């Protein structure tokens, strides 16, 4: 997902498949993978609130253990989340 988001490739089918596969496993992701996934999906203008809520929950549980580079990525994701779902709380 990160490569496609970085390249600006429209790959909605790929992001659908990744979200479906990843969502039940997000709590198994390491901290960097959570931050990278959040960043990639935000850069792809992903609008599946269930996926982002599950991602935010997985991040919230471990945000205190995140390193600065992970937090900086999440800081960049935060405006996307707040614009798309102003009624939801994102960890940052």
């Amino acid at each position: 997902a990160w490569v496609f988001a970085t390249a600006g490739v429209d790959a909605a089918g790929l992001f659908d498949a990744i979200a479906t596969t990843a969502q039940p496993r997000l709590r198994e992701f390491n901290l960097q993978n959570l931050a990278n996934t959040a960043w990639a999906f935000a850069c792809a203008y992903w609008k599946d609130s269930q996926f982002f809520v599950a991602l935010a929950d997985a991040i919230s549980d471990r945000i205190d253990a995140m390193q600065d580079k992970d937090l900086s990525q999440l800081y960049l994701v935060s405006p996307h989340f707040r614009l798309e779902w102003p009624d939801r709380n994102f960890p940052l």
Side-chain angles (χ1 to χ4, degrees), residues 10-85:
D10 182 13
L14 174 68
F15 280 88
D16 281 336
I18 292 171
T20 300
T21 304
Q23 187 168 342
R25 297 183 177 115
L26 288 171
R27 295 197 186 280
E28 299 170 21
F29 282 30
N30 68 35
L31 299 174
Q32 183 178 359
N33 289 343
L34 285 171
N36 289 346
T37 301
W39 182 88
F41 276 78
C43 287
Y45 302 105
W46 196 252
K47 297 188 187 295
D48 180 350
S49 65
Q50 285 184 324
F51 180 75
F52 267 109
V53 168
L55 188 57
D57 287 345
I59 291 167
S60 294
D61 290 347
R62 297 187 285 164
I63 200 160
D64 291 338
M66 287 191 155
Q67 296 179 5
D68 290 344
K69 65 181 179 175
D70 304 324
L71 292 171
S72 66
Q73 269 189 302
L74 291 178
Y75 183 74
L76 296 173
V77 171
S78 181
H80 169 76
F81 193 86
R82 289 189 179 119
L83 286 172
E84 291 297 325
W85 305 285

